[in-house]
Amino acid sequence: MAYISESLLYVSFAILAGAMLLRLVPEQLKPTLTVPHWLLIACAVAIPVLSFIPIHQLNVSYAASFELSYWEMLKSLLLDVKAGTAWTWTLLSSLGLLFLLSARSFRNDRHMPKVALFIVLLLVIWLGYASHASSLSSMKGLIVHTLHFLPVTLWLGTLFVVGMFAVDGRNWESWLRWFSPLAVGCSLLALAAGFTLMTFTTPQYLNGWMLPYGQAMLIKHLLIVPLLLLAYTNGFRYKSMLKRNPSFMPGRWLRAEAVVAALVLAATGYMGQQAPPHDVKVTLGSVPPSPLFTSLFKGPFSPDMGVKLQWSMESILMLIAAGLMAYGIRSAYRIDRPYIALASGLLTAVFGYFGLMFAMS
């Protein structure tokens, strides 16, 4: 339940950020969009509800341990624990956002979307305040987590909204003219912040594969490869494809990209509910190893072991297959088959995963 709620939480953030950003863009610089207003309200309601689920689970566990009632323990968590304090401010910010979205003048007012986007930024900051990174290094963790998550929500949120709710291809080239640089900038900032985040949440990257958190991170990183390939194809090969095929519909390709992006957020949501491997040996004392790791690792498992990569014929063949699938994304674009490109992208991650796992020693 917590894994699903965390993934839906990130999707809610992305949709709100993307929708508010697009409200600020002039009509001549974007396709015609029909974003259901109820969806924005649902996302605003979902953020405090979904972010409360980990608080609820923590509260139930602590209440049993300290022999306190649910409400006594909850009061202590909300007042004395960073995650609880962050949730309190998340609730208040979400209520403010809900008030704005519910106002009759919101749809036609030029300034309310700016305020709404600012509130979404505050919600991202409170999410970072409650993160694993912030618990390890208060200010540095907050800043790095925010710089990692905020560009992802702006990039993928805009992608979700346009991919799902664009009703025509009008102004597509004008939209790409500003969105492509935004996507490149956001992805570079997110990658830089992500690698910085790893330095103090996952310093033992290969050994971290023994844990569920490390496996989810590896899958996330492999899914980023087809996501970036699809983003490059959609952003920079659109003109040449339109010249070759005047009936080309880019919205279908954005939806394929959005599916991969949703899987990246799902992997991130799973990571958010797992213990990060600051010290893998110590973490394995309280967390069982990943079933994926133990099922694919060929040797005997021990918490004291160190994971290394030793290339074999089967691992190399799998990585070659991953490369061929990655090339298949470009080939599918030439013949305008987004579902083939989506399948090729997912197989890129699958073959890449087995290629790396088969190389473990």
Side-chain angles (χ1 to χ4, degrees):
M1 178 62 180
Y3 307 134
I4 297 174
S5 67
E6 194 85 1
S7 302
L8 292 175
L9 174 66
Y10 295 159
V11 171
S12 299
F13 268 104
I15 290 175
L16 281 172
M20 294 307 105
L21 177 63
L22 285 163
R23 286 286 180 99
L24 303 179
V25 177
E27 294 297 325
Q28 66 271 20
L29 296 180
K30 61 185 178 183
T32 304
L33 299 172
T34 56
V35 184
H37 196 67
W38 64 263
L39 179 62
L40 302 181
I41 292 177
C43 288
V45 172
I47 286 177
V49 172
L50 295 173
S51 59
F52 182 74
I53 291 177
I55 301 292
H56 165 72
Q57 293 177 327
L58 192 65
N59 190 65
V60 170
S61 175
Y62 281 5
S65 299
F66 292 101
E67 298 182 349
L68 295 173
S69 71
Y70 181 90
W71 298 109
E72 287 175 326
M73 192 69 248
L74 181 62
K75 179 181 177 182
S76 178
L77 277 178
L78 297 181
L79 294 177
D80 302 327
V81 179
K82 287 182 68 172
T85 303
W87 183 82
T88 302
W89 286 106
T90 296
L91 175 63
L92 294 175
S93 301
S94 298
L95 290 175
L97 180 60
L98 189 60
F99 174 78
L100 277 179
L101 294 174
S102 302
R104 289 186 178 182
S105 58
F106 177 81
R107 302 188 187 194
N108 300 318
D109 191 277
R110 294 185 306 163
H111 302 292
M112 280 192 177
K114 299 176 185 177
V115 180
L117 187 59
F118 176 73
I119 295 177
V120 173
L121 170 61
L122 292 179
L123 288 168
V124 170
I125 291 174
W126 292 123
L127 184 71
Y129 183 73
S131 65
H132 292 309
S134 181
S135 65
L136 293 173
S137 176
S138 184
M139 185 55 65
K140 180 182 177 182
L142 170 62
I143 293 173
V144 175
H145 187 279
T146 301
L147 290 178
H148 178 60
F149 188 67
L150 180 61
V152 169
T153 56
L154 291 173
W155 167 31
L156 299 186
T158 307
L159 173 69
F160 283 155
V161 173
V162 175
M164 290 188 296
F165 303 115
V167 298
D168 56 31
R170 189 172 65 91
N171 301 325
W172 208 268
E173 190 170 333
S174 300
W175 176 70
L176 285 175
R177 194 174 295 123
W178 66 264
F179 177 68
S180 294
L182 174 70
V184 170
C186 286
S187 60
L188 290 176
L189 179 58
L191 288 171
F195 284 123
T196 305
L197 208 56
M198 287 172 58
T199 59
F200 54 95
T201 59
T202 321
Q204 302 169 301
Y205 183 67
L206 290 180
N207 288 348
W209 292 359
M210 291 187 280
L211 292 162
Y213 184 98
Q215 284 287 309
M217 177 175 283
L218 173 61
I219 292 171
K220 174 184 174 180
H221 289 166
L222 290 170
L223 285 169
I224 288 173
V225 174
L227 177 62
L228 293 178
L229 289 173
L230 283 167
Y232 169 79
T233 304
N234 289 335
F236 297 101
R237 297 185 61 83
Y238 165 72
K239 289 183 180 180
S240 61
M241 187 63 193
L242 192 61
K243 290 178 181 178
R244 187 182 301 115
N245 180 12
S247 63
F248 176 68
M249 293 297 292
R252 298 182 303 139
W253 283 90
L254 281 188
R255 285 190 284 273
E257 187 180 341
V259 170
V260 181
L263 292 175
V264 171
L265 292 179
T268 305
Y270 183 84
M271 289 167 57
Q273 295 299 312
Q274 297 293 327
H278 318 303
D279 187 314
V280 174
K281 182 179 177 180
V282 172
T283 307
L284 282 170
S286 56
V287 176
S290 167
L292 285 173
F293 175 83
T294 54
S295 62
L296 293 173
F297 185 68
K298 297 178 181 178
F301 170 75
S302 169
D304 298 322
M305 62 181 285
V307 175
K308 297 179 181 179
L309 295 180
Q310 185 174 347
W311 306 110
S312 61
M313 180 60 68
E314 58 183 358
S315 64
I316 292 172
L317 288 174
M318 283 291 176
L319 292 176
I320 291 174
L324 292 173
M325 290 297 103
Y327 182 77
I329 296 175
R330 181 178 179 182
S331 301
Y333 197 80
R334 288 177 177 173
I335 60 175
D336 193 17
R337 295 292 185 271
Y339 299 111
I340 293 178
L342 175 60
S344 297
L346 297 179
L347 287 173
T348 299
V350 170
F351 286 133
Y353 175 80
F354 284 111
L356 292 174
M357 295 299 287
F358 289 164
M360 292 186 304
S361 64

